[in-house]
Amino acid sequence: MAYITWKLSPLHHSASSRLPVTLAPGMSETRGSHSKHEDMALNRGPWTVEEDKLLTHYIAYHGEGRWNLLARCSGLKRTGKSCRLRWLNYLKPDVRRGNLTPEEQLLILELHSKWGNRWSRIAQHLPGRTDNEIKNYWRTRVQKQARQLKVDANSSKFRDAVRCYWMPRLLQKFGSSQTMQYSVEANTNTTTSDQVQHRPCQETISPSMQYCQLGSSSSHEPQPPENLSAVFPPLPVNMSEFPWRASDEIHGVAFNLFSSGFSMNNAYDLGTCDLTPVSASAPIYSDLDYGTDNNDCSNYNGDNLWSMDELCDMLKSYVSGADIKVPFSDHNS
DNA sequence: AAAACTCGCAACCGCCTAAAT
DNA sequence: TATTTAGGCGGTTGCGAGTTT
C-alpha cells in the first residue's frame, strides 16, 4: 500500500510562513532524543513541502512506527517525535479537516464529561479527528466560554450550563443533520484507534448511540478521575428542578427535548432522546453545510445556528439565575 | 491606514510507561 | 533487577491571519 495523497499545510499557502529553524545538537532538544551517532543539526518549526514529501514517501514504503529510525534513515533532520506528530496530526490520509460538526462537538462534550482531558481516548471515537484538534477545540471554544463566565470549566455550574443549553442545542443541530454518518462498529468495547479508523462499516450508528453502548460497557471502563466530578450531573428526573420545564414553549415550538429517555440511569443516553418536536421545525442542513466529502467539513460553519455570543448570553443567564430565553432559529422564516 | 488585540492551530516540551537490553 | 530507549500523552507556546479600535 502506498500513500500518494498529498496535502499542503495551510502554512504552505502563506508566502510569509515562519521559517524552519535549524538547531545545533544539544540546543534545547527533547530529552533523550539524541543518539550518540546523531551529529547533524535538527530542523524545528513548521514543516516544509520537501520534508512532508520525504516523510510521506518513507512511510509509503516502510510503514508507520519506529519513528527514531525513520528520522535517521529518511534523511529528515527531525526528531522521531516530530515525524510521528507530523504524520499523525497532518499527513495521514484519513485525517479529517475542517470545522467540527455539531455531532462531533456533542460527542466531545459527552466524552469529556466522562473522561476529562483524555484527548487521545476521546479522539478514538471521532474517526479522523486527532487528539490535538480536539484539545484545541476544547481550549479555544469550551474553555473560552468558561473564562467569559468567570467560572471554572470543570465547575458544576458550568457543566450544568453546558448540559442544559449547549448540548441540547447541538442535539438540535445534530437532529437535523442526519446526513452525517459514521463508520463505527456498534460494539466498541475493545475499540482501538486503528479499528475505528480503518475497519469497514459494519453498522452505521450515531456517535451518541455509540456512546450509549460505550456507557453500557462501563464495567470495563476506568472511572474518570476523582477530581472530575467533572461529569455532568445527571439530568434531574424531576423536571421541576430544572431551569425550564419538561416542555417549554420556545418561539412557538414545543421544546420537549428531555421528555423521553433521560433518567438518572441513562443521563447520557442522548441517543434515545426524542428529537421529533425539535427536528420538525429545525433548520435543515444540506450536504453543502457540511461538505459532501466526508473528509471535508470546511463548508460547515459550526456556529451559524448558535453563535458563541448567543451561547455566552444564555450561559451567563443560567449562571446568574436569570430567566432563560432560548433563541430558536427557524430557517423557514 | 495602522496599531493593537484576538483567535486558531501546528509544533514543541516534558513527563510517564512499556519494551528492550 | 536496573538502566536505557522509544513512543504516547497532555499541557503549553508562538506565530500568522483575521478582526477591532
Side-chain angles (χ1 to χ4, degrees):
Chain A
M1 172 181 60
Y3 298 117
I4 56 172
T5 306
W6 186 243
K7 302 175 182 179
L8 285 179
S9 159
L11 287 166
H12 297 140
H13 299 299
S14 162
S16 58
S17 301
R18 44 183 168 155
L19 296 171
V21 176
T22 300
L23 286 185
M27 283 181 65
S28 180
E29 193 39 64
T30 304
R31 175 173 57 100
S33 63
H34 288 289
S35 79
K36 62 179 87 173
H37 304 294
E38 197 170 5
D39 201 23
M40 61 186 182
L42 291 169
N43 289 342
R44 297 182 61 196
W47 281 64
T48 64
V49 174
E50 289 71 27
E51 287 178 312
D52 281 347
K53 272 184 186 171
L54 217 52
L55 179 57
T56 304
H57 289 153
Y58 186 93
I59 289 176
Y61 284 105
H62 299 94
E64 294 179 43
R66 307 188 70 184
W67 298 105
N68 284 341
L69 181 68
L70 178 155
R72 283 196 298 273
C73 300
S74 63
L76 286 162
K77 295 176 178 178
R78 295 274 181 174
T79 65
K81 277 187 173 188
S82 184
C83 295
R84 173 182 167 271
L85 215 58
R86 183 63 181 169
W87 175 252
L88 293 180
N89 285 347
Y90 201 88
L91 296 174
K92 198 170 179 176
D94 52 5
V95 170
R96 297 176 72 214
R97 310 205 69 79
N99 291 332
L100 292 163
T101 65
E103 201 173 5
E104 289 173 318
Q105 293 176 49
L106 178 63
L107 192 59
I108 291 170
L109 292 174
E110 285 186 65
L111 294 180
H112 186 274
S113 74
K114 185 179 183 183
W115 295 328
N117 300 354
R118 302 287 304 278
W119 307 118
S120 64
R121 188 173 183 186
I122 293 171
Q124 287 176 12
H125 297 277
L126 286 102
R129 300 295 187 181
T130 67
D131 54 354
N132 213 31
E133 192 175 9
I134 293 168
K135 183 169 54 182
N136 282 334
Y137 166 74
W138 186 266
R139 290 186 58 80
T140 58
R141 305 296 182 86
V142 181
Q143 287 198 330
K144 177 185 158 192
Q145 292 302 322
R147 273 199 309 276
Q148 289 181 351
L149 296 167
K150 296 183 171 61
V151 296
D152 189 279
N154 283 335
S155 69
S156 58
K157 197 100 179 175
F158 182 70
R159 290 195 303 272
D160 283 352
V162 169
R163 166 168 283 282
C164 294
Y165 304 111
W166 197 335
M167 292 174 80
R169 201 62 174 182
L170 288 171
L171 267 172
Q172 195 177 23
K173 293 184 190 180
F174 169 35
S176 59
S177 63
Q178 296 300 319
T179 54
M180 271 292 298
Q181 293 184 330
Y182 280 71
S183 302
V184 178
E185 189 178 343
N187 183 352
T188 59
N189 286 6
T190 56
T191 297
T192 66
S193 175
D194 283 347
Q195 284 171 322
V196 168
Q197 295 184 5
H198 301 305
R199 69 180 162 231
C201 178
Q202 298 189 12
E203 181 177 345
T204 301
I205 60 172
S206 76
S208 291
M209 287 298 290
Q210 175 195 356
Y211 183 70
C212 296
Q213 288 159 346
L214 253 188
S216 69
S217 64
S218 58
S219 60
H220 302 295
E221 298 290 336
Q223 294 304 305
E226 272 312 310
N227 62 352
L228 294 172
S229 58
V231 293
F232 292 114
L235 288 166
V237 173
N238 177 1
M239 286 299 178
S240 65
E241 300 171 28
F242 230 53
W244 53 23
R245 296 181 302 282
S247 178
D248 275 6
E249 194 76 15
I250 301 166
H251 292 206
V253 177
F255 199 85
N256 199 21
L257 186 62
F258 299 129
S259 64
S260 65
F262 281 116
S263 72
M264 296 298 277
N265 292 329
N266 62 350
Y268 294 95
D269 193 2
L270 301 173
T272 63
C273 183
D274 178 11
L275 285 162
T276 308
V278 173
S279 55
S281 305
I284 304 301
Y285 291 99
S286 67
D287 283 349
L288 190 60
D289 293 319
Y290 297 97
T292 49
D293 181 347
N294 214 24
N295 282 324
D296 180 10
C297 300
S298 56
N299 288 333
Y300 170 69
N301 174 0
D303 290 337
N304 64 359
L305 174 59
W306 187 354
S307 73
M308 283 293 138
D309 286 346
E310 235 175 84
L311 173 67
C312 193
D313 288 345
M314 256 188 290
L315 298 187
K316 273 179 182 164
S317 299
Y318 173 70
V319 170
S320 67
D323 288 343
I324 308 296
K325 287 187 170 56
V326 178
F328 190 83
S329 177
D330 184 353
H331 282 209
N332 295 325
S333 61

